[in-house]
Amino acid sequence: MAKEMKDNQFVKEIADMTADFPQWYTDVVLKTQLVDYGPVKGTMVIRPYGYEIWEHIQDELDRRFKATGHKNAYFPMLIPYSYLVKEADHVEGFAPEVALVTHIGDTPLEEKLVVRPTSETIICSMYSKWVQSYRDLPLLINQWANVVRWEKTTRPFLRTSEFLWQEGHTLHRTEEEAREETAKMLEVYREFMQNVLAIDVLTGVKTEKEKFAGAVNTYSMEAMMLDGKSLQAGTSHYLGQNFSSAFEIKYLDKDGQLKNPYQTSWGVSTRLIGALIMAHGDQRGLKLPPRVAPVQVVVVPIAFHKEGVLDKAQELAAALKSAGVRVELDDRDQSPGWKFNEWEMKGVPVRIEIGPRDIENGQFVAVRRDTHEKRVIEISSLCEAIPALLDEIHENMFRQSHEFLHSRIDVCRNMDDMKESLDNGHFVKTMWCGCRECEDKIKAELSATSRVMPFDQTPVGETCVCCGKPADKVIYFAKSY
Amino acid sequence: MAKEMKDNQFVKEIADMTADFPQWYTDVVLKTQLVDYGPVKGTMVIRPYGYEIWEHIQDELDRRFKATGHKNAYFPMLIPYSYLVKEADHVEGFAPEVALVTHIGDTPLEEKLVVRPTSETIICSMYSKWVQSYRDLPLLINQWANVVRWEKTTRPFLRTSEFLWQEGHTLHRTEEEAREETAKMLEVYREFMQNVLAIDVLTGVKTEKEKFAGAVNTYSMEAMMLDGKSLQAGTSHYLGQNFSSAFEIKYLDKDGQLKNPYQTSWGVSTRLIGALIMAHGDQRGLKLPPRVAPVQVVVVPIAFHKEGVLDKAQELAAALKSAGVRVELDDRDQSPGWKFNEWEMKGVPVRIEIGPRDIENGQFVAVRRDTHEKRVIEISSLCEAIPALLDEIHENMFRQSHEFLHSRIDVCRNMDDMKESLDNGHFVKTMWCGCRECEDKIKAELSATSRVMPFDQTPVGETCVCCGKPADKVIYFAKSY
């Protein structure tokens, strides 16, 4: 351990995650070059190592969206201010934080323009032109785009003035079909979190207080970060006819009647990168889930000035690349220990070490980032062993996330127990009467917010954790990002 | 022909391209649902059929950028106004057309923000933090993003207030290396135009008048549209040290000296969609190059209520899909003729017709969009024949583009000949003395602009086409978009 610490010149630059988790996060995202601060307050630059994670997230999600019948499109970023005000709750929610374009060069615009904080309004204005008949439904469109929401407190990936996201916007003939879509996309997200980011989540419906401005219902998935806080990782909204009536989207139904369609919207953002950092990291830095890691395997030659070592290392890297593995050969003129530390900090799932003796024995050493386990593997089985190992790491990381989450959910029946659980960095599962006052009081006294009401509403008590009156709602509370 | 016209209920909705090319373009982009007008003047909505073309363009280019060592990143869209003014030519070029964010909600910002018209300034501000040593060079980054430039006259894809593009931004130790990069990326673009969009282009360097605001040299590729106008399809700029000195990007070189690196930037945009429409269309509508067509093959069952026809059509479509072909089965309850017309208008490269008699004979009919040629093909060879046919169509479309371009370049030696050539919708290859006055006069009198000075400067005369003085510059002039 002593030697390990001595070698590790990076670790000392990263704050102790148990002592100062926010500083650990900041150190990790900056030092691994995932991100940098932009010149305008609250903006971020996503650097190549961070952006490639986003590219893999996009690929995986986009495939899922297309497999469920959605097509991509692109709508203008600049929205007439008059559109924002058409849906009353929506404008109330977004007006204070929108960026406004008022001039072109020196010339004032006749109507100020909103830089989209989300695109319901402009998309509805187009849908009202495109949809005429029930034959035009369902309309299933997704957009990959940047959005701007001016936030007071910002942190890279978690909350930034501009961020990248996808937003699905669909129209349906019936409430039932729209509700099915809302649930389906939440499930697409949940499956993606599990099978791609290796993060377990709680899913359910948000309270009235926490729902999207303009939605009838907001469904969310909530992930537990390593500090015990909850992170809202994605949302799927059932919008009912709120926007379709405000924007006069009407279709002629089979019965000859003009009707407003039912609508959904759903989105995830670059926030997911923050989620995977805080769900999987450790004292040494990042621990990237293999399926989105820009580098899945790094090959580090040992004593690489000795004849044949670099050649063999190149050969392994080339073979893995052909097998579809994202691999990098580190042939820089640095010590192996220095390289090990750097790649550990950068969270690369597997490190391959190969030196003269390994080559003699026809083998190499694979070191897992998640468990630090070393495994000696025959070179001849490289291209089967490594993809299998990456899957094993994924499964292990998901299992850890699952166990971490479920071992830290406490059922509480009163405010004192709830306070203790929250202070321990746990989520609280409890009963709630449904009134806004209790929700506000819990936030004021315990700094915790309602996260979701799960689909499984099997009661865990009879009375509201806050007011003690009869309660029929099972709900999770947690401190949150 | 009479019957054909009668069947064709779409053609009549599209203007005659020989009589009114601009109207033909507008009709085609709107009626094939590539695009719609956004609510704010000059903005466009890229609809799913148009956006999928962009997705294929992105895939093809992105692969080429990565193969040449570039990585993607994302920089903030909002740029402090003070950055824009740091490079004198740059601000002069862009200041009048930038959109300015001045308020967040009701609150004025301390410094107004520019919605990026291009990202040299903000990227340079970050590079000045990131680059310290010659070991940090070359720095090879690309960004896929939206940009805003307020234009007076706008047309979907060709010139819109907001558009999507990619912008590469690289830094190098030496001028030579930066100039090599500038040339390499122009060649990447040219090869992409030829092998993906099936469009031939002229390449070369822009005049001082036409170069990018802030560049030392701008290289461009110019494509000939079917109306004989030139369209600038992509540019690659050698920026020298203009921005790196303005933004104080400095690196410690091997010799211990602090130096400003040499820089390039290069970009193509959604304008390419306009290019492929106007380079390949015909009276019936779109003619999409197979490698970016959202639907490469449509299967139209004939007499599809007859037993077995729809099953067989589905079987063909499924087999093609497995073979990696983008295929759609049109099983709508419409006549085959109606469907033929619609898919022709939408530019689908191959139509497969299959009816009861074809099935009996173990064959189907393939109809090419580019030549209207019908070919009877054995069902057993479907998955070899169709991809080969798509390649054949691509080659034919490129050959046509190549011949069209090169048969319409006239060498002119005086203004009268030049006028005649331009009026005939031809490009003019001529000699130019190099002075701005002649360039301005040609624009004023003939409405033509200089396009590029080709790399091959073999003279085609001795005197300037405009002033008659000795001239050593070979140059192309054309009317342009």
Side-chain angles (χ1 to χ4, degrees):
Chain A
M1 186 64 186
K3 184 181 176 307
E4 204 174 30
M5 289 305 286
K6 191 173 130 283
D7 275 352
N8 197 333
Q9 60 191 96
F10 296 101
V11 166
K12 65 173 182 247
E13 298 173 23
I14 299 175
D16 180 345
M17 73 192 301
T18 60
D20 189 347
F21 193 76
Q23 189 60 47
W24 171 87
Y25 178 79
T26 303
D27 288 345
V28 166
V29 296
L30 293 178
K31 287 181 205 300
T32 58
Q33 304 192 344
L34 290 176
V35 80
D36 202 350
Y37 297 112
V40 175
K41 199 184 155 299
T43 62
M44 67 174 163
V45 177
I46 309 180
R47 301 185 70 171
Y49 197 58
Y51 196 82
E52 193 174 334
I53 297 174
W54 182 239
E55 290 181 296
H56 296 306
I57 289 173
Q58 286 189 299
D59 285 348
E60 291 281 354
L61 283 172
D62 202 66
R63 193 183 322 144
R64 286 164 170 80
F65 298 157
K66 283 173 178 158
T68 44
H70 304 85
K71 288 176 186 270
N72 290 327
Y74 187 79
F75 296 83
M77 176 183 62
L78 297 175
I79 303 174
Y81 194 83
S82 58
Y83 283 30
L84 191 70
V85 303
K86 283 199 185 186
E87 210 288 332
D89 292 334
H90 192 68
V91 66
E92 197 187 317
F94 284 106
E97 62 185 45
V98 292
L100 296 174
V101 172
T102 59
H103 289 71
I104 304 301
D106 294 333
T107 313
L109 283 166
E110 280 180 32
E111 178 179 8
K112 59 190 174 186
L113 304 174
V114 174
V115 180
R116 65 180 158 225
T118 178
S119 299
E120 276 77 6
T121 60
I122 192 159
I123 289 181
C124 283
S125 80
M126 300 311 300
Y127 283 1
S128 72
K129 285 176 66 177
W130 299 346
V131 171
Q132 270 134 33
S133 150
Y134 68 91
R135 289 189 195 86
D136 301 322
L137 301 176
L139 186 55
L140 307 173
I141 287 182
N142 177 61
Q143 167 170 273
W144 291 96
N146 56 341
V147 288
V148 171
R149 298 177 185 178
W150 225 257
E151 304 275 3
K152 286 202 186 67
T153 316
T154 57
R155 306 196 55 201
F157 296 123
L158 301 177
R159 185 164 270 117
T160 48
S161 303
E162 181 190 5
F163 56 89
L164 303 182
W165 79 343
Q166 63 66 219
E167 45 182 325
H169 294 273
T170 71
L171 289 181
H172 306 265
R173 269 187 72 210
T174 63
E175 168 168 354
E176 187 190 4
E177 199 188 301
R179 286 195 175 277
E180 263 170 29
E181 167 84 3
T182 313
K184 182 199 286 176
M185 299 321 290
L186 185 71
E187 177 55 20
V188 164
Y189 288 153
R190 195 204 56 73
E191 182 273 330
F192 161 82
M193 291 299 280
Q194 170 165 345
N195 292 329
V196 179
L197 300 190
I199 299 175
D200 199 10
V201 291
L202 298 176
T203 57
V205 66
K206 288 276 182 189
T207 62
E208 285 296 300
K209 177 182 172 171
E210 298 289 337
K211 77 180 184 185
F212 174 75
V216 175
N217 297 123
T218 289
Y219 298 83
S220 166
M221 55 178 181
E222 302 282 326
M224 185 184 277
M225 303 295 99
L226 290 168
D227 62 351
K229 284 192 185 172
S230 184
L231 184 131
Q232 179 179 303
T235 48
S236 184
H237 312 295
Y238 170 65
L239 303 175
Q241 295 168 309
N242 290 354
F243 287 88
S244 73
S245 61
F247 283 86
E248 295 178 342
I249 308 176
K250 283 180 188 149
Y251 72 95
L252 194 65
D253 205 355
K254 288 177 186 171
D255 59 10
Q257 302 287 307
L258 274 180
K259 298 176 184 172
N260 297 126
Y262 296 83
Q263 193 172 356
T264 84
S265 68
W266 29 273
V268 297
S269 74
T270 36
R271 188 168 227 223
L272 288 175
I273 302 175
L276 68 89
I277 296 165
M278 294 198 296
H280 293 307
D282 67 14
Q283 296 285 24
R284 294 175 157 270
L286 291 175
K287 201 189 277 180
L288 295 178
R291 290 170 193 169
V292 296
V295 181
Q296 296 174 310
V297 175
V298 61
V299 179
V300 180
I302 309 296
F304 74 98
H305 294 302
K306 293 221 173 132
E307 204 192 316
V309 173
L310 197 54
D311 287 347
K312 183 56 80 175
Q314 276 163 343
E315 201 183 290
L316 297 190
L320 285 173
K321 196 178 169 192
S322 304
V325 175
R326 297 189 290 271
V327 60
E328 196 154 311
L329 170 67
D330 188 349
D331 58 1
R332 289 176 297 177
D333 200 2
Q334 299 280 4
S335 74
W338 189 92
K339 294 177 183 177
F340 295 173
N341 288 328
E342 181 171 85
W343 293 109
E344 283 201 337
M345 182 178 74
K346 295 193 93 164
V348 171
V350 173
R351 175 175 82 230
I352 287 180
E353 305 171 6
I354 183 143
R357 206 184 312 165
D358 300 310
I359 296 171
E360 256 173 50
N361 297 334
Q363 63 193 34
F364 63 88
V365 177
V367 186
R368 289 170 65 153
R369 176 66 181 88
D370 61 333
T371 58
H372 304 287
E373 181 208 340
K374 288 191 178 204
R375 211 176 275 187
V376 176
I377 299 175
E378 308 261 305
I379 289 176
S380 59
S381 68
L382 174 77
C383 291
E384 298 76 48
I386 294 298
L389 184 57
L390 290 168
D391 283 341
E392 209 179 315
I393 291 170
H394 171 87
E395 294 305 334
N396 181 54
M397 287 175 71
F398 178 70
R399 192 165 47 243
Q400 285 189 351
S401 168
H402 175 79
E403 283 166 11
F404 184 76
L405 171 64
H406 290 281
S407 67
R408 287 169 160 251
I409 297 173
D410 299 342
V411 173
C412 296
R413 296 205 165 77
N414 60 59
M415 292 287 272
D416 287 343
D417 288 355
M418 193 161 167
K419 181 177 187 322
E420 193 183 329
S421 288
L422 292 167
D423 287 347
N424 287 335
H426 287 205
F427 282 14
V428 169
K429 186 177 188 180
T430 190
M431 299 304 292
W432 171 54
C433 63
C435 81
R436 174 72 180 256
E437 287 69 27
C438 288
E439 212 180 342
D440 287 341
K441 192 175 170 194
I442 290 167
K443 185 167 186 188
E445 295 186 2
L446 306 180
S447 305
T449 51
S450 71
R451 306 317 303 165
V452 285
M453 294 180 276
F455 297 110
D456 177 359
Q457 284 282 312
T458 310
V460 293
E462 290 90 45
T463 57
C464 176
V465 68
C466 184
C467 67
K469 290 182 189 154
D472 62 356
K473 287 176 175 53
V474 179
I475 191 166
Y476 290 98
F477 279 91
K479 297 188 180 184
S480 71
Y481 280 93
Chain B
M1 184 66 185
K3 183 179 177 306
E4 204 174 30
M5 289 305 288
K6 191 176 129 279
D7 274 354
N8 197 333
Q9 62 190 97
F10 296 101
V11 167
K12 66 173 183 249
E13 299 174 21
I14 298 177
D16 182 344
M17 71 192 304
T18 60
D20 189 347
F21 193 75
Q23 189 60 46
W24 171 86
Y25 179 80
T26 303
D27 288 345
V28 167
V29 296
L30 294 177
K31 286 184 205 302
T32 59
Q33 303 191 344
L34 291 176
V35 79
D36 202 349
Y37 297 111
V40 176
K41 197 183 156 298
T43 62
M44 67 174 163
V45 177
I46 309 178
R47 301 185 70 170
Y49 196 58
Y51 196 82
E52 192 173 336
I53 297 175
W54 182 239
E55 291 181 295
H56 296 307
I57 289 174
Q58 287 189 298
D59 285 348
E60 293 280 354
L61 284 172
D62 202 67
R63 194 184 320 144
R64 287 164 171 80
F65 298 158
K66 283 175 178 157
T68 44
H70 303 86
K71 288 177 185 268
N72 290 328
Y74 188 78
F75 295 83
M77 176 183 62
L78 297 174
I79 302 175
Y81 194 82
S82 57
Y83 282 30
L84 192 69
V85 301
K86 284 199 184 186
E87 210 288 334
D89 291 336
H90 192 68
V91 65
E92 197 186 317
F94 284 107
E97 61 186 45
V98 292
L100 296 173
V101 172
T102 59
H103 289 71
I104 304 301
D106 294 331
T107 314
L109 282 166
E110 282 180 30
E111 180 180 7
K112 60 190 174 187
L113 304 175
V114 174
V115 180
R116 65 179 160 228
T118 178
S119 300
E120 276 77 6
T121 60
I122 193 161
I123 289 181
C124 283
S125 80
M126 300 311 298
Y127 283 1
S128 71
K129 286 176 66 178
W130 298 347
V131 171
Q132 271 133 32
S133 150
Y134 69 90
R135 289 190 195 86
D136 300 323
L137 301 176
L139 186 56
L140 307 173
I141 287 181
N142 176 63
Q143 167 170 272
W144 291 97
N146 56 341
V147 287
V148 171
R149 298 177 185 178
W150 225 256
E151 305 273 4
K152 288 201 184 66
T153 316
T154 57
R155 304 193 60 200
F157 296 123
L158 302 176
R159 187 165 268 115
T160 49
S161 303
E162 180 190 7
F163 56 91
L164 303 182
W165 80 342
Q166 62 67 217
E167 45 181 326
H169 295 272
T170 70
L171 290 181
H172 306 266
R173 268 187 73 208
T174 64
E175 168 168 355
E176 189 192 1
E177 198 188 302
R179 286 195 175 277
E180 264 170 29
E181 168 83 4
T182 313
K184 183 198 286 175
M185 299 321 290
L186 185 71
E187 176 56 21
V188 164
Y189 288 153
R190 195 204 55 72
E191 181 274 329
F192 162 82
M193 292 298 282
Q194 171 166 344
N195 292 329
V196 180
L197 300 191
I199 299 175
D200 199 9
V201 290
L202 299 176
T203 56
V205 66
K206 288 276 183 188
T207 62
E208 285 297 298
K209 178 181 172 173
E210 298 289 338
K211 75 179 187 186
F212 174 74
V216 175
N217 297 124
T218 289
Y219 298 84
S220 164
M221 54 178 183
E222 302 283 326
M224 186 185 276
M225 303 294 98
L226 290 168
D227 62 351
K229 283 193 186 172
S230 183
L231 184 130
Q232 178 180 302
T235 47
S236 183
H237 312 295
Y238 170 64
L239 303 175
Q241 296 169 308
N242 290 354
F243 287 89
S244 72
S245 60
F247 284 86
E248 297 180 338
I249 309 177
K250 283 180 188 149
Y251 72 95
L252 195 65
D253 205 355
K254 287 177 185 170
D255 60 9
Q257 303 287 308
L258 272 180
K259 298 175 183 172
N260 296 127
Y262 296 84
Q263 193 171 356
T264 84
S265 68
W266 28 274
V268 297
S269 74
T270 36
R271 188 170 226 221
L272 289 175
I273 302 174
L276 68 89
I277 296 164
M278 294 196 298
H280 294 305
D282 68 12
Q283 296 284 23
R284 295 175 158 268
L286 291 175
K287 201 190 277 181
L288 294 178
R291 290 171 192 168
V292 296
V295 181
Q296 297 174 308
V297 175
V298 60
V299 179
V300 179
I302 310 295
F304 74 98
H305 293 300
K306 293 223 172 127
E307 204 190 317
V309 173
L310 198 52
D311 288 346
K312 183 54 81 176
Q314 277 163 343
E315 201 181 290
L316 297 190
L320 285 173
K321 195 178 171 194
S322 305
V325 174
R326 297 189 290 271
V327 60
E328 196 154 311
L329 170 68
D330 188 348
D331 58 1
R332 289 175 297 177
D333 200 3
Q334 299 281 1
S335 74
W338 188 93
K339 293 177 183 178
F340 295 172
N341 288 328
E342 180 170 86
W343 293 109
E344 285 202 335
M345 182 178 73
K346 296 194 93 165
V348 172
V350 173
R351 176 176 82 229
I352 287 179
E353 305 172 7
I354 183 144
R357 207 184 312 165
D358 300 308
I359 296 171
E360 257 171 51
N361 296 333
Q363 62 193 35
F364 64 89
V365 177
V367 185
R368 288 171 65 153
R369 175 67 179 88
D370 60 334
T371 58
H372 305 286
E373 182 210 340
K374 289 192 178 203
R375 212 176 275 187
V376 176
I377 300 174
E378 308 262 302
I379 289 176
S380 58
S381 68
L382 174 77
C383 291
E384 297 77 48
I386 294 298
L389 184 57
L390 290 168
D391 283 341
E392 208 178 316
I393 291 170
H394 171 87
E395 295 304 334
N396 180 55
M397 288 175 72
F398 178 71
R399 194 166 45 242
Q400 285 189 350
S401 167
H402 175 79
E403 283 166 11
F404 183 76
L405 172 65
H406 289 282
S407 67
R408 286 170 161 249
I409 297 174
D410 299 342
V411 173
C412 296
R413 295 202 165 78
N414 59 59
M415 292 286 273
D416 286 344
D417 288 356
M418 194 162 166
K419 183 177 184 322
E420 194 183 329
S421 287
L422 292 167
D423 287 346
N424 286 335
H426 287 205
F427 282 13
V428 169
K429 187 177 187 181
T430 191
M431 298 304 291
W432 172 53
C433 63
C435 81
R436 174 72 179 257
E437 287 68 28
C438 288
E439 211 179 341
D440 288 342
K441 191 174 170 194
I442 290 167
K443 185 165 186 188
E445 294 187 2
L446 306 180
S447 306
T449 50
S450 72
R451 304 317 301 162
V452 286
M453 294 179 277
F455 296 110
D456 178 358
Q457 283 281 311
T458 310
V460 293
E462 289 89 47
T463 55
C464 176
V465 69
C466 185
C467 66
K469 290 182 190 156
D472 63 354
K473 288 176 173 55
V474 179
I475 190 165
Y476 291 99
F477 279 90
K479 298 190 179 180
S480 71
Y481 281 93

